[in-house]
Amino acid sequence: MSLDVLPADVLVLAVDVGGTTTKAEVVDGRSEVLASGVVPTAREEAALESVRTLGRGLIDEAVRAGHGRVARAGVVVPGIVDRCRRVGVYSANIGWRELGLGSPLEAAWGMPVLLDHDVTIAGWAEWQVGAGRGCDDVFFVALGTGVAASIVAGGRLLRGGLAQAGEFGHVVVRPGGPQCACGGRGCLEAVCSAASVARAYATLAGRDVAGGVDVLAAMGDDPVAAQVWTQALAALADGLINVINLLSPARIVVGGGLAEAGDALLAPLSAAVAQRITLVPAPDIVGAEFGARAALVGAALLARRGEGGQEGDS
Ligand SMILES: [Zn+2]
């Protein structure tokens, strides 16, 4: 779907359907948030109903408050997405298969709905208006419960011939290593996602932690946390070296929940990458500007621009 760019005074609805929660906002052309809401993401096909209800509520709230008309919606979802048919093809976390989202949401909300992939659009937003701005070759990596990437090369967002480019989490960095949810072994996601880091820590330390960020926070005085984190960073650096050799990005933008650790993540990661560089120049490695909000910012941009992927006025 490709539509005209909306004027700044027209409102859009942005929805980010995550594995745990679904977040939505009504925003204006200056990115001011006029209404927002969060609900738990329902499992499988029931997720559609929770998205529909959340969106409807925010659209009505914006009208009631006199903010004006919401004209278009951008919805981003995880997993395998067919943005042309506007179908969630598969999400391991949510459990849906071949779930049509675009048409039923369009009918319920009474406006055009664009559907796209969450991390692809998060990276696109960072490139257009965030930490990758002004750079034609950006590799965006989202380190959260899972690991995925968004690639900008030569000033274009790479979709891939079969439209699923960016599954960086399933690049094998530890052959024969830990089992991955995809069915493979030793994938980056099985070693350095927030969930994998927390799991590795629980196994070695004999006690659970809430998430990967907690392991990172404990590094200073917990040798097990330091060991788990060092191993995860080494795997991530090995994965990034492959990307650097293959694409030579000028900038690597690190986002997702783990990136909230800031320099505690970026400084040792930059050092681990620098240590492994042999041929090509080392790119800058920076934190994402929008953090965990990048996908939501991207969904709003997607709705406003009427398409996602091309460079445009920002
Ligand atoms: Zn995998």
Side-chain angles (χ1 to χ4, degrees):
M1 187 189 278
S2 186
L3 303 163
D4 292 340
V5 176
L6 290 174
D9 58 342
V10 174
L11 310 183
V12 297
L13 172 68
V15 184
D16 174 16
V17 184
T20 312
T21 57
T22 296
K23 302 176 207 127
E25 293 175 351
V26 170
V27 294
D28 66 14
R30 290 167 296 281
S31 302
E32 192 170 332
V33 178
L34 303 172
S36 65
V38 183
V39 295
T41 303
R43 299 293 94 190
E44 302 173 2
E45 277 62 26
L48 171 61
E49 186 50 40
S50 54
V51 172
R52 181 160 42 200
T53 308
L54 176 64
R56 184 73 258 168
L58 293 182
I59 292 163
D60 294 344
E61 189 182 324
V63 171
R64 270 199 312 274
H67 294 307
R69 189 173 66 95
V70 183
R72 198 183 286 164
V75 178
V76 298
V77 301
I80 307 290
V81 186
D82 186 330
R83 67 194 175 106
C84 297
R85 289 191 299 130
R86 296 182 297 162
V87 167
V89 177
Y90 176 64
S91 164
N93 283 334
I94 303 174
W96 67 39
R97 279 182 190 276
E98 279 295 322
L99 179 63
L101 290 159
S103 299
L105 292 176
E106 202 160 277
W109 296 341
M111 66 186 70
V113 174
L114 290 99
L115 183 77
D116 215 314
H117 182 256
D118 54 1
V119 175
T120 305
I121 287 301
W124 174 63
E126 287 287 351
W127 170 46
Q128 290 287 294
V129 293
R133 193 170 182 172
C135 185
D136 278 348
D137 294 270
V138 182
F139 187 79
F140 170 80
V141 55
L143 297 174
T145 310
V147 176
S150 182
I151 307 156
V152 172
R156 296 188 72 85
L157 180 68
L158 275 189
R159 293 283 188 174
L162 301 176
Q164 301 299 330
E167 289 291 357
F168 182 50
H170 303 287
V171 166
V172 175
V173 289
R174 296 291 178 264
Q179 182 74 45
C180 180
C182 76
R185 301 192 78 93
C187 298
L188 189 53
E189 185 167 301
V191 186
C192 88
S193 66
S196 306
V197 166
R199 209 164 35 238
Y201 180 86
T203 305
L204 276 176
R207 59 193 157 87
D208 288 338
V209 281
V213 174
D214 294 353
V215 176
L216 202 149
M219 254 176 70
D221 41 28
D222 181 343
V224 176
Q227 182 192 343
V228 167
W229 190 248
T230 303
Q231 285 171 356
L233 275 181
L236 178 58
D238 286 341
L240 288 176
I241 285 295
N242 289 327
V243 169
I244 292 165
N245 281 323
L246 202 61
L247 297 171
S248 186
R251 197 175 299 163
I252 292 176
V253 178
V254 185
L258 280 181
E260 285 165 22
D263 275 350
L265 165 68
L266 296 176
L269 178 62
S270 299
V273 168
Q275 217 174 45
R276 288 165 170 76
I277 288 268
T278 52
L279 291 171
V280 299
D284 288 338
I285 300 180
V286 301
E289 188 167 320
F290 302 119
R293 277 181 41 80
L296 205 50
V297 171
L301 199 62
L302 176 69
R304 185 158 301 280
R305 298 260 181 97
E307 53 82 33
Q310 303 309 309
E311 196 164 21
D313 299 328
S314 51

